[in-house]
Amino acid sequence: MIILVLNCGSSSLKYQVLDMKSDNDYSLLAKGLVERIGEPMGIYNHQLPGKDKFSVEKPVPNHTVGISKVLELLTDKSLGVISSLKEIEAVGHRVAHGGEYFSGSAAIDDEAISKIEKCAELAPLHNPANLLGIRAVQSLMPEIPQVAVFDTSFHQTIPDYAYMYAIPYEYYQKYKIRRYGFHGTSHKYVAKKACNLVGMDISNSKIITCHLGNGSSITAIKNGRSIDTSMGFTPMEGLVMGTRSGSVDAGVVTFLEEKEKLSAAEINTILNKKSGLLGVSQASSDMRDIESGAGSGNANAALAQEMLFYGIRKFIGAYAAAMGGLDMIVFTGGIGENSSTTREQACEELEFLGVDFDKDVNRAVRGKDVILSTPSSKVKVVAVTTNEELVIAQDTMNIVKNK
Ligand code: ADP
């Protein structure tokens, strides 16, 4: 089954075309990125595996035009991978927020669209963009089945005492203010993949998955179900991230608003775009720069990375306690897959939990699926690559087949 996977942002869209024979037997046919949608000049980047990237500058006034051009590229004689659009059997969308409506991926129909619209208040930057993509496909390929895969749905198993904030209950009733968590597709996928790697039964396991990228979150997965996660009502909570602050005392927000005379939008920009590794280092949001800065004696870069390492260790300790034990720690995401320093520091002094970390093995690992703990380690530690597009394609295939 050939599936088009779309991840639509407000001014960009990413796509992949996968040929799915089964969940684990698949091939990537093409992928690409359309940027600067709505700006005077846009850019299309299109790539076939093992071939040079094709890029062309052209205005992209809206998502429908962008997707229409992508469909042209996919059927192009030299750049394409299919002879006719009829070969695409389904479209899977990454959708940021499913609120309390979706505890799994869902076929897109009028009811699903109306629920995704209702969740737009919770993800004002993302859900409207995701809907633009869904509507563009509806107008360009009206017959094709579409499926929504949510960043939040895996975390719908978190119990109320872990997802509630202790603010007046009426705000939960009025606005559904609670922890939702994000990166759900990644946490679910890497937990399963890691279990396969070490031969662990996911339905009888206590796993902590650390998705560390520009945005980072940590999840406690007990017997295959998310029971807590570090991101909250928005992706701002939890760990120090590239440009997001992670958790801060809410008192800091009101203090800063008063002292600096900041509007809600301004403080939001500071906490989302100017904080985290960038804010503390005053240099870069990119972990590679932070590591090299720290290595060459930049004190702020060293502080920023130490704050991240300490944060990860703290969550590991907390989530081991929340699950009443720990069987495995999983690292993924751009930092988790590639930064041996982060993995080593995150596991520093975790021997008391039963972690016996193999520093030599760890040092050589970049972008691969590898066991990083010694054979006798009670708690397994692994690095595995994530693949959110694959999960979207798998769920899309399974939902469409079962309809
Ligand atoms: P996103 O959250 O946008 O998907 P990624 O998962 O691609 O981001 O992660 C991006 C982060 O991964 C950046 O901070 C980048 O510096 C970091 N990263 C990538 N490669 C390395 C590396 N070799 N060493 C350290 N950090 C790395």
Side-chain angles (χ1 to χ4, degrees), residues 337-358:
E337 291 168 27
N338 296 298
S339 169
S340 52
T341 309
T342 301
R343 294 186 303 247
E344 181 180 322
Q345 290 298 314
C347 291
E348 191 75 12
E349 294 188 65
L350 294 186
E351 292 81 9
F352 78 99
L353 279 176
V355 174
D356 189 8
F357 191 76
D358 192 327

Side-chain angles (χ1 to χ4, degrees), residues 14 183 211-216 242 277 285-289 291 332-340 342 366 386 388:
K14 283 189 212 149
H183 292 140
H211 178 110
L212 311 172
N214 283 317
S216 298
L277 296 176
S285 64
D286 191 297
M287 193 60 183
R288 286 164 288 206
D289 299 336
E291 285 186 3
T332 195
I335 299 173
E337 291 168 27
N338 296 298
S339 169
S340 52
T342 301
R366 194 173 278 190
T386 192
E388 286 159 289

Side-chain angles (χ1 to χ4, degrees), residues 169-184:
Y169 195 77
E170 68 202 65
Y171 297 129
Y172 171 65
Q173 292 170 310
K174 239 169 140 175
Y175 304 117
K176 291 279 171 229
I177 293 178
R178 49 160 286 179
R179 174 183 313 285
Y180 288 99
F182 299 88
H183 292 140

Side-chain angles (χ1 to χ4, degrees), residues 87-106:
E87 288 179 38
I88 298 177
E89 287 182 69
V91 178
H93 293 265
R94 177 179 190 177
V95 178
H97 219 302
E100 291 185 335
Y101 293 114
F102 297 99
S103 56
S105 305

Side-chain angles (χ1 to χ4, degrees), residues 130-144:
N130 304 148
L131 282 164
L132 289 174
I134 291 169
R135 294 220 166 87
V137 173
Q138 277 182 331
S139 72
L140 294 164
M141 298 192 278
E143 303 302 324
I144 201 154

Side-chain angles (χ1 to χ4, degrees), residues 104-154:
S105 305
I108 295 175
D109 54 16
D110 289 347
E111 193 191 334
I113 288 181
S114 126
K115 288 174 177 167
I116 296 169
E117 271 167 353
K118 285 189 183 134
C119 297
E121 191 179 44
L122 301 172
L125 295 180
H126 296 101
N127 274 33
N130 304 148
L131 282 164
L132 289 174
I134 291 169
R135 294 220 166 87
V137 173
Q138 277 182 331
S139 72
L140 294 164
M141 298 192 278
E143 303 302 324
I144 201 154
Q146 301 193 69
V147 168
V149 179
F150 301 91
D151 264 25
T152 50
S153 60
F154 179 55

